[in-house]
Short mmCIF file of all heavy atoms in Angstrom, two decimals:
data_model
loop_
_atom_site.label_atom_id
_atom_site.label_comp_id
_atom_site.label_asym_id
_atom_site.label_seq_id
_atom_site.Cartn_x
_atom_site.Cartn_y
_atom_site.Cartn_z
N LEU A 53 79.10 -60.56 -62.76
CA LEU A 53 79.50 -61.98 -62.98
C LEU A 53 78.61 -62.55 -64.07
O LEU A 53 79.10 -63.28 -65.00
CB LEU A 53 79.33 -62.76 -61.66
CG LEU A 53 79.87 -64.17 -61.65
CD1 LEU A 53 81.39 -64.15 -61.58
CD2 LEU A 53 79.26 -64.93 -60.47
N VAL A 54 77.29 -62.24 -63.97
CA VAL A 54 76.34 -62.77 -64.95
C VAL A 54 76.79 -62.28 -66.39
O VAL A 54 76.83 -63.04 -67.35
CB VAL A 54 74.90 -62.39 -64.64
CG1 VAL A 54 73.97 -62.64 -65.85
CG2 VAL A 54 74.42 -63.14 -63.43
N GLU A 56 79.68 -61.17 -67.41
CA GLU A 56 80.97 -61.82 -67.83
C GLU A 56 80.72 -63.21 -68.35
O GLU A 56 81.30 -63.63 -69.36
CB GLU A 56 81.95 -61.83 -66.68
CG GLU A 56 82.68 -60.44 -66.50
CD GLU A 56 83.37 -60.40 -65.20
OE1 GLU A 56 83.75 -61.43 -64.59
OE2 GLU A 56 83.74 -59.22 -64.75
N ALA A 57 79.84 -63.96 -67.64
CA ALA A 57 79.53 -65.33 -68.05
C ALA A 57 78.84 -65.30 -69.43
O ALA A 57 79.23 -66.12 -70.32
CB ALA A 57 78.59 -65.96 -67.04
N LEU A 58 77.93 -64.39 -69.64
CA LEU A 58 77.23 -64.31 -70.93
C LEU A 58 78.17 -63.85 -72.00
O LEU A 58 78.04 -64.30 -73.16
CB LEU A 58 75.99 -63.35 -70.80
CG LEU A 58 74.87 -63.76 -69.85
CD1 LEU A 58 73.82 -62.66 -69.83
CD2 LEU A 58 74.19 -65.06 -70.43
N SER A 60 81.11 -64.72 -72.32
CA SER A 60 81.96 -65.88 -72.74
C SER A 60 81.31 -66.77 -73.83
O SER A 60 81.93 -67.68 -74.38
CB SER A 60 82.36 -66.76 -71.57
OG SER A 60 81.18 -67.42 -71.07
N TRP A 61 79.98 -66.52 -74.07
CA TRP A 61 79.27 -67.35 -74.99
C TRP A 61 79.27 -66.75 -76.41
O TRP A 61 78.48 -65.90 -76.71
CB TRP A 61 77.84 -67.55 -74.49
CG TRP A 61 76.95 -68.46 -75.26
CD1 TRP A 61 77.41 -69.35 -76.25
CD2 TRP A 61 75.54 -68.59 -75.19
NE1 TRP A 61 76.31 -70.00 -76.77
CE2 TRP A 61 75.19 -69.54 -76.11
CE3 TRP A 61 74.57 -67.97 -74.40
CZ2 TRP A 61 73.86 -70.00 -76.28
CZ3 TRP A 61 73.27 -68.36 -74.53
CH2 TRP A 61 72.91 -69.34 -75.48
N GLN B 62 69.49 -72.40 -79.50
CA GLN B 62 70.69 -73.15 -79.20
C GLN B 62 70.95 -74.26 -80.20
O GLN B 62 71.35 -75.38 -79.87
CB GLN B 62 70.73 -73.66 -77.79
CG GLN B 62 70.53 -72.53 -76.77
CD GLN B 62 71.13 -72.79 -75.44
OE1 GLN B 62 71.92 -73.74 -75.25
NE2 GLN B 62 70.86 -71.96 -74.46
N SER B 118 70.03 -80.21 -77.62
CA SER B 118 70.91 -79.25 -77.10
C SER B 118 72.25 -79.83 -76.67
O SER B 118 73.26 -79.23 -76.91
CB SER B 118 70.18 -78.63 -75.84
OG SER B 118 70.99 -77.59 -75.32
N LEU B 119 72.19 -81.07 -76.12
CA LEU B 119 73.41 -81.70 -75.69
C LEU B 119 74.27 -82.04 -76.91
O LEU B 119 75.47 -81.83 -76.95
CB LEU B 119 73.10 -83.02 -74.94
CG LEU B 119 72.63 -82.81 -73.50
CD1 LEU B 119 72.19 -84.13 -72.90
CD2 LEU B 119 73.79 -82.27 -72.65
N GLU B 122 75.88 -79.00 -78.21
CA GLU B 122 76.94 -78.60 -77.35
C GLU B 122 78.26 -79.37 -77.66
O GLU B 122 79.29 -78.80 -77.79
CB GLU B 122 76.55 -78.90 -75.92
CG GLU B 122 76.64 -77.73 -74.96
CD GLU B 122 76.00 -77.99 -73.61
OE1 GLU B 122 76.52 -78.77 -72.85
OE2 GLU B 122 74.87 -77.48 -73.36
N GLU B 141 90.70 -75.84 -71.72
CA GLU B 141 89.56 -75.97 -72.67
C GLU B 141 88.42 -76.72 -72.00
O GLU B 141 87.26 -76.32 -72.16
CB GLU B 141 90.05 -76.73 -73.96
CG GLU B 141 88.97 -76.90 -74.96
CD GLU B 141 88.28 -75.63 -75.46
OE1 GLU B 141 88.95 -74.57 -75.33
OE2 GLU B 141 87.15 -75.73 -75.88
N MET B 142 88.72 -77.71 -71.20
CA MET B 142 87.68 -78.43 -70.51
C MET B 142 86.95 -77.53 -69.55
O MET B 142 85.69 -77.57 -69.46
CB MET B 142 88.23 -79.65 -69.76
CG MET B 142 88.42 -80.87 -70.71
SD MET B 142 89.30 -82.20 -69.94
CE MET B 142 88.09 -82.82 -68.79
N VAL B 143 87.68 -76.69 -68.82
CA VAL B 143 87.10 -75.78 -67.84
C VAL B 143 86.17 -74.82 -68.56
O VAL B 143 85.06 -74.51 -68.15
CB VAL B 143 88.17 -75.03 -67.03
CG1 VAL B 143 87.59 -73.91 -66.19
CG2 VAL B 143 88.94 -75.98 -66.13
N ARG B 144 86.69 -74.29 -69.68
CA ARG B 144 85.96 -73.37 -70.49
C ARG B 144 84.65 -73.98 -71.00
O ARG B 144 83.55 -73.41 -70.99
CB ARG B 144 86.73 -72.88 -71.63
CG ARG B 144 86.42 -71.48 -72.16
CD ARG B 144 87.21 -71.15 -73.42
NE ARG B 144 86.79 -72.07 -74.51
CZ ARG B 144 85.68 -71.83 -75.21
NH1 ARG B 144 84.91 -70.82 -74.94
NH2 ARG B 144 85.37 -72.68 -76.19
N GLN B 145 84.73 -75.25 -71.46
CA GLN B 145 83.59 -75.93 -71.97
C GLN B 145 82.50 -76.11 -70.87
O GLN B 145 81.31 -76.01 -71.14
CB GLN B 145 83.95 -77.31 -72.52
CG GLN B 145 84.63 -77.28 -73.90
CD GLN B 145 83.67 -76.69 -74.94
OE1 GLN B 145 82.51 -76.96 -74.93
NE2 GLN B 145 84.24 -75.87 -75.80
N VAL B 146 83.00 -76.49 -69.64
CA VAL B 146 82.05 -76.76 -68.56
C VAL B 146 81.28 -75.45 -68.23
O VAL B 146 80.07 -75.38 -68.08
CB VAL B 146 82.76 -77.24 -67.31
CG1 VAL B 146 81.86 -77.23 -66.11
CG2 VAL B 146 83.28 -78.67 -67.58
N ARG B 147 82.07 -74.32 -68.15
CA ARG B 147 81.49 -72.99 -67.86
C ARG B 147 80.46 -72.59 -68.93
O ARG B 147 79.38 -72.17 -68.62
CB ARG B 147 82.61 -71.91 -67.81
CG ARG B 147 83.33 -71.88 -66.50
CD ARG B 147 84.46 -70.88 -66.61
NE ARG B 147 83.95 -69.49 -66.76
CZ ARG B 147 83.81 -68.66 -65.69
NH1 ARG B 147 84.15 -69.04 -64.48
NH2 ARG B 147 83.32 -67.44 -65.89
N LEU B 148 80.87 -72.84 -70.16
CA LEU B 148 80.03 -72.45 -71.29
C LEU B 148 78.77 -73.24 -71.27
O LEU B 148 77.67 -72.70 -71.47
CB LEU B 148 80.78 -72.66 -72.64
CG LEU B 148 80.01 -72.26 -73.89
CD1 LEU B 148 79.71 -70.76 -73.93
CD2 LEU B 148 80.83 -72.62 -75.13
N SER B 149 78.82 -74.50 -71.03
CA SER B 149 77.65 -75.38 -71.03
C SER B 149 76.69 -74.93 -69.84
O SER B 149 75.47 -75.01 -69.97
CB SER B 149 77.96 -76.84 -70.99
OG SER B 149 78.53 -77.18 -69.73
N GLU B 150 77.31 -74.48 -68.78
CA GLU B 150 76.50 -74.06 -67.65
C GLU B 150 75.77 -72.67 -68.00
O GLU B 150 74.59 -72.52 -67.62
CB GLU B 150 77.35 -73.88 -66.39
CG GLU B 150 77.62 -75.26 -65.79
CD GLU B 150 78.46 -75.14 -64.54
OE1 GLU B 150 78.35 -74.10 -63.81
OE2 GLU B 150 79.25 -76.09 -64.21
N VAL B 151 76.50 -71.85 -68.69
CA VAL B 151 75.87 -70.59 -69.11
C VAL B 151 74.72 -70.85 -70.08
O VAL B 151 73.61 -70.32 -69.97
CB VAL B 151 76.92 -69.65 -69.82
CG1 VAL B 151 76.22 -68.45 -70.42
CG2 VAL B 151 78.01 -69.24 -68.82
N ARG B 152 74.99 -71.78 -71.03
CA ARG B 152 73.93 -72.06 -72.06
C ARG B 152 72.76 -72.67 -71.34
O ARG B 152 71.59 -72.37 -71.71
CB ARG B 152 74.49 -73.06 -73.07
CG ARG B 152 75.54 -72.40 -73.99
CD ARG B 152 76.18 -73.46 -74.89
NE ARG B 152 75.16 -74.12 -75.64
CZ ARG B 152 75.39 -74.60 -76.88
NH1 ARG B 152 76.52 -74.40 -77.47
NH2 ARG B 152 74.41 -75.23 -77.55
N ARG B 153 73.03 -73.58 -70.41
CA ARG B 153 71.95 -74.27 -69.69
C ARG B 153 71.14 -73.32 -68.92
O ARG B 153 69.88 -73.35 -68.90
CB ARG B 153 72.57 -75.35 -68.85
CG ARG B 153 71.52 -76.35 -68.25
CD ARG B 153 71.14 -77.36 -69.23
NE ARG B 153 70.10 -78.27 -68.68
CZ ARG B 153 69.05 -78.65 -69.39
NH1 ARG B 153 68.87 -78.31 -70.64
NH2 ARG B 153 68.15 -79.51 -68.82
N ALA B 154 71.78 -72.35 -68.25
CA ALA B 154 71.13 -71.40 -67.39
C ALA B 154 70.25 -70.54 -68.22
O ALA B 154 69.05 -70.24 -67.83
CB ALA B 154 72.12 -70.53 -66.69
N VAL B 155 70.70 -70.18 -69.47
CA VAL B 155 69.86 -69.34 -70.35
C VAL B 155 68.71 -70.17 -70.86
O VAL B 155 67.56 -69.73 -70.93
CB VAL B 155 70.73 -68.76 -71.44
CG1 VAL B 155 69.86 -68.04 -72.55
CG2 VAL B 155 71.73 -67.81 -70.92
N GLU B 156 69.02 -71.39 -71.26
CA GLU B 156 67.94 -72.29 -71.83
C GLU B 156 66.84 -72.53 -70.81
O GLU B 156 65.69 -72.70 -71.23
CB GLU B 156 68.61 -73.63 -72.29
CG GLU B 156 67.65 -74.44 -73.14
CD GLU B 156 68.22 -75.78 -73.49
OE1 GLU B 156 69.26 -76.18 -72.89
OE2 GLU B 156 67.68 -76.44 -74.35
N LEU B 157 67.16 -72.59 -69.57
CA LEU B 157 66.14 -72.84 -68.56
C LEU B 157 65.23 -71.68 -68.23
O LEU B 157 64.21 -71.82 -67.55
CB LEU B 157 66.80 -73.40 -67.26
CG LEU B 157 67.36 -74.85 -67.36
CD1 LEU B 157 68.13 -75.20 -66.11
CD2 LEU B 157 66.23 -75.88 -67.59
N LEU B 158 65.62 -70.51 -68.74
CA LEU B 158 64.75 -69.34 -68.48
C LEU B 158 63.46 -69.51 -69.33
O LEU B 158 63.54 -70.07 -70.44
CB LEU B 158 65.45 -68.08 -68.93
CG LEU B 158 66.61 -67.57 -68.19
CD1 LEU B 158 67.27 -66.36 -68.92
CD2 LEU B 158 66.27 -67.14 -66.77
N TYR B 171 72.87 -58.78 -75.54
CA TYR B 171 73.72 -58.92 -76.70
C TYR B 171 73.37 -57.90 -77.82
O TYR B 171 74.27 -57.47 -78.51
CB TYR B 171 73.60 -60.38 -77.29
CG TYR B 171 74.10 -61.40 -76.37
CD1 TYR B 171 73.26 -62.26 -75.67
CD2 TYR B 171 75.50 -61.61 -76.22
CE1 TYR B 171 73.77 -63.23 -74.82
CE2 TYR B 171 76.02 -62.61 -75.30
CZ TYR B 171 75.17 -63.41 -74.66
OH TYR B 171 75.60 -64.42 -73.81
N THR B 200 67.40 -64.84 -61.59
CA THR B 200 67.60 -66.30 -61.70
C THR B 200 69.00 -66.60 -62.19
O THR B 200 69.65 -67.52 -61.63
CB THR B 200 66.58 -66.87 -62.79
OG1 THR B 200 65.26 -66.40 -62.40
CG2 THR B 200 66.63 -68.35 -62.87
N LEU B 201 69.43 -65.82 -63.18
CA LEU B 201 70.82 -66.10 -63.64
C LEU B 201 71.88 -65.83 -62.62
O LEU B 201 72.93 -66.57 -62.48
CB LEU B 201 71.15 -65.19 -64.87
CG LEU B 201 70.34 -65.58 -66.14
CD1 LEU B 201 70.68 -64.60 -67.24
CD2 LEU B 201 70.67 -67.01 -66.63
N ARG B 202 71.65 -64.82 -61.75
CA ARG B 202 72.64 -64.51 -60.67
C ARG B 202 72.77 -65.70 -59.73
O ARG B 202 73.87 -66.09 -59.32
CB ARG B 202 72.19 -63.23 -59.92
CG ARG B 202 72.39 -61.96 -60.65
CD ARG B 202 72.51 -60.83 -59.79
NE ARG B 202 71.25 -60.42 -59.13
CZ ARG B 202 70.40 -59.43 -59.62
NH1 ARG B 202 70.75 -58.76 -60.68
NH2 ARG B 202 69.31 -59.19 -59.06
N VAL B 203 71.66 -66.38 -59.48
CA VAL B 203 71.64 -67.54 -58.60
C VAL B 203 72.30 -68.72 -59.26
O VAL B 203 73.17 -69.41 -58.71
CB VAL B 203 70.19 -67.90 -58.15
CG1 VAL B 203 70.21 -69.17 -57.34
CG2 VAL B 203 69.62 -66.77 -57.30
N ARG B 204 71.90 -69.00 -60.47
CA ARG B 204 72.36 -70.11 -61.25
C ARG B 204 73.88 -70.05 -61.61
O ARG B 204 74.54 -71.08 -61.72
CB ARG B 204 71.59 -70.33 -62.56
CG ARG B 204 70.23 -70.93 -62.30
CD ARG B 204 69.56 -71.27 -63.63
NE ARG B 204 68.15 -71.63 -63.33
CZ ARG B 204 67.16 -71.34 -64.16
NH1 ARG B 204 67.40 -70.72 -65.28
NH2 ARG B 204 65.93 -71.64 -63.83
N LEU B 205 74.38 -68.83 -61.80
CA LEU B 205 75.77 -68.68 -62.25
C LEU B 205 76.66 -68.19 -61.10
O LEU B 205 77.90 -67.93 -61.37
CB LEU B 205 75.85 -67.75 -63.46
CG LEU B 205 75.00 -68.13 -64.70
CD1 LEU B 205 75.02 -67.11 -65.73
CD2 LEU B 205 75.51 -69.50 -65.23
N ALA B 206 76.12 -68.08 -59.90
CA ALA B 206 76.91 -67.53 -58.77
C ALA B 206 78.20 -68.30 -58.56
O ALA B 206 79.29 -67.79 -58.23
CB ALA B 206 76.09 -67.55 -57.50
N HIS B 207 78.15 -69.65 -58.71
CA HIS B 207 79.31 -70.52 -58.43
C HIS B 207 80.44 -70.30 -59.43
O HIS B 207 81.55 -70.81 -59.25
CB HIS B 207 78.90 -71.97 -58.35
CG HIS B 207 78.37 -72.48 -59.75
ND1 HIS B 207 77.17 -72.10 -60.28
CD2 HIS B 207 79.00 -73.24 -60.65
CE1 HIS B 207 77.07 -72.69 -61.46
NE2 HIS B 207 78.17 -73.39 -61.68
N LEU B 208 80.18 -69.67 -60.57
CA LEU B 208 81.28 -69.45 -61.57
C LEU B 208 82.21 -68.39 -61.17
O LEU B 208 83.31 -68.22 -61.76
CB LEU B 208 80.63 -69.05 -62.93
CG LEU B 208 79.72 -70.14 -63.57
CD1 LEU B 208 79.23 -69.62 -64.90
CD2 LEU B 208 80.49 -71.38 -63.82
N GLY B 209 81.87 -67.58 -60.09
CA GLY B 209 82.72 -66.44 -59.76
C GLY B 209 83.97 -66.85 -58.98
O GLY B 209 84.11 -67.95 -58.51
#
Side-chain angles (χ1 to χ4, degrees):
Chain A
L53 188 77
V54 167
E56 279 167 19
L58 292 176
S60 70
W61 185 12
Chain B
Q62 303 208 11
S118 183
L119 283 174
E122 236 168 70
E141 180 56 25
M142 278 173 71
V143 171
R144 209 187 65 79
Q145 282 299 321
V146 170
R147 281 176 66 97
L148 183 61
S149 67
E150 284 180 30
V151 172
R152 290 174 58 147
R153 190 80 184 138
V155 173
E156 191 184 13
L157 287 173
L158 290 173
Y171 296 107
T200 308
L201 290 176
R202 286 201 290 262
V203 173
R204 282 188 192 145
L205 301 173
H207 65 286
L208 297 180

